[in-house]
C-alpha cells in the first residue's frame, strides 16, 4: 500500500487530462448512486438504519451542485485544478451528510483530493493510490475497523492494495489503475456477505445479518467502479 512518503515513482509519465478524469469520476459516482439507491436502501434496511442509499445520493447531489456552480464563467479564466471535483465531493459529504458513512466518505475523498493536488504532473495513478491509502488510514483512525469486521474497510483495503499495485504497472493511466481497484473492492463486498458483523448496527443482529453484503462496502466499490463507467444495477456485482 502506498503512503505520501513513498518515492519510488521517479520515471516519466505520459500527460493526460486529469481534470477531465476526476470530474467525470465524481459525476459517474453520483449517477451510479442514484441508479442503485433503491438496492442500497434494501441492503441497509436488512443490516443498518436503511438510510445509506439516501445519504450517499444526498452527498453526491450536493457535490454536483458545488461543481456546477464552479462552471459559471469568471474572468480572467482560471483552469480548474484536477483536485477540485474531489474537493467538492469531500466537502459536500463532510458538511452536508449526517450519519456514519457520510463523514467517512468525506475523509476518503478529502485525502484523495489532497494527494492529487500535491502530485507531480503526469503521475495520476500514483497520486490516487497515495490518496486512497491515506484515506483508509484516516477512516481506520476514526472507526478502528479492520478487515473482517463487515464494514466498508473490507472493500477499501483490497481496493487500496490493487490500486497501489496498478500504479506501479500503469502509472500514467488512472482509469486502468482504478479498474483494478474496483475489481478488488467488489471481491471485498462479496466477502462481507459471509461475515458476522463486529462493528456498526449490523453487529447487533449477529447471524441474522449473514448473507447480506455490507452497504458501506458496496458504496466503496461503486466509487472505484464509477471511475470507468456508471453502474446501473448492483445485481451483476453481488452474485
Amino acid at each position: 500500500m502506498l503512503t505520501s512518503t513513498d518515492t519510488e515513482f521517479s520515471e516519466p509519465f505520459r500527460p493526460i487530462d486529469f481534470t477531465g478524469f476526476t470530474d467525470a469520476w465524481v459525476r459517474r459516482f453520483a449517477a451510479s448512486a442514484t441508479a442503485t439507491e433503491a438496492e442500497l436502501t434494501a441492503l441497509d434496511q436488512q443490516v443498518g438504519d436503511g438510510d445509506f442509499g439516501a445519504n450517499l445520493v444526498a452527498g453526491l447531489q450536493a457535490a454536483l451542485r458545488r461543481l456546477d456552480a464552479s462552471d459559471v464563467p469568471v474572468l480572467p479564466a482560471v483552469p480548474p485544478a484536477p483536485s477540485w471535483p474531489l474537493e467538492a465531493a469531500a466537502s459536500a459529504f463532510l458538511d452536508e451528510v449526517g450519519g456514519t458513512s457520510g463523514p467517512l466518505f468525506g475523509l476518503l475523498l478529502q485525502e484523495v483530493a489532497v494527494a492529487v493536488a500535491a502530485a507531480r504532473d503526469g503521475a495520476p495513478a500514483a497520486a490516487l493510490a497515495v490518496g486512497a491509502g491515506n484515506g483508509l488510514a484516516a477512516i481506520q483512525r476514526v472507526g478502528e475497523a479492520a478487515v473482517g469486521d463487515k464494514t466498508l474497510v473490507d472493500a477499501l483495503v483490497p481496493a487500496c492494495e490493487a490500486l497501489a499495485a496498478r500504479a506501479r504497472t500503469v502509472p500514467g493511466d488512472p482509469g486502468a489503475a482504478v479498474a483494478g481497484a474496483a475489481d478488488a473492492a467488489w471481491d471485498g463486498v462479496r466477502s462481507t456477505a459471509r461475515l458476522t458483523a463486529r462493528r456498526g448496527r449490523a453487529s447487533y443482529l449477529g447471524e441474522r445479518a449473514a448473507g447480506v453484503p455490507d452497504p458501506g462496502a458496496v458504496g466503496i466499490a461503486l466509487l472505484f467502479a464509477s471511475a470507468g463507467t456508471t453502474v446501473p444495477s448492483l445485481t451483476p456485482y453481488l452474485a
Side-chain angles (χ1 to χ4, degrees):
M1 200 172 302
L2 296 181
T3 70
S4 54
T5 60
D6 284 294
T7 58
E8 58 192 281
F9 296 94
S10 57
E11 70 274 28
F13 303 97
R14 61 184 175 83
I16 65 161
D17 177 10
F18 202 17
T19 300
F21 173 82
T22 53
D23 184 84
W25 185 6
V26 171
R27 293 181 188 279
R28 289 196 197 102
F29 188 26
S32 295
T34 301
T36 60
E37 181 180 357
E39 294 170 279
L40 291 168
T41 297
L43 286 177
D44 200 37
Q45 285 173 337
Q46 297 178 72
V47 297
D49 295 331
D51 59 356
F52 177 72
N55 285 340
L56 189 64
V57 170
L60 288 163
Q61 290 300 318
L64 294 186
R65 288 194 295 273
R66 296 178 185 218
L67 276 178
D68 292 338
S70 72
D71 290 340
V72 177
V74 177
L75 295 177
V78 178
S83 60
W84 164 237
L86 299 166
E87 292 167 3
S91 61
F93 274 107
L94 291 170
D95 296 344
E96 301 189 33
V97 180
T100 302
S101 59
L104 296 183
F105 275 85
L107 284 175
L108 173 60
L109 290 164
Q110 185 178 58
E111 291 294 343
V112 176
V114 168
V116 168
R120 295 177 290 114
D121 289 342
L128 296 178
V130 168
N134 290 341
L136 169 63
I139 287 172
Q140 291 189 300
R141 281 196 299 273
V142 171
E144 301 181 346
V147 170
D149 286 343
K150 195 180 176 88
T151 71
L152 61 81
V153 168
D154 287 290
L156 185 53
V157 166
C160 288
E161 292 172 348
L163 188 53
R166 290 293 186 96
R168 295 185 177 91
T169 56
V170 286
D173 188 343
V178 180
D183 291 341
W186 286 121
D187 288 342
V189 168
R190 288 187 286 272
S191 77
T192 63
R194 301 188 293 271
L195 296 172
T196 299
R198 295 196 290 251
R199 290 193 176 271
R201 188 176 179 85
S203 64
Y204 300 109
L205 300 176
E207 295 300 325
R208 286 179 291 167
V212 182
D214 179 72
V218 175
I220 292 295
L222 279 179
L223 168 65
F224 287 107
S226 300
T229 185
T230 299
V231 177
S233 169
L234 299 179
T235 302
Y237 300 95
L238 301 184

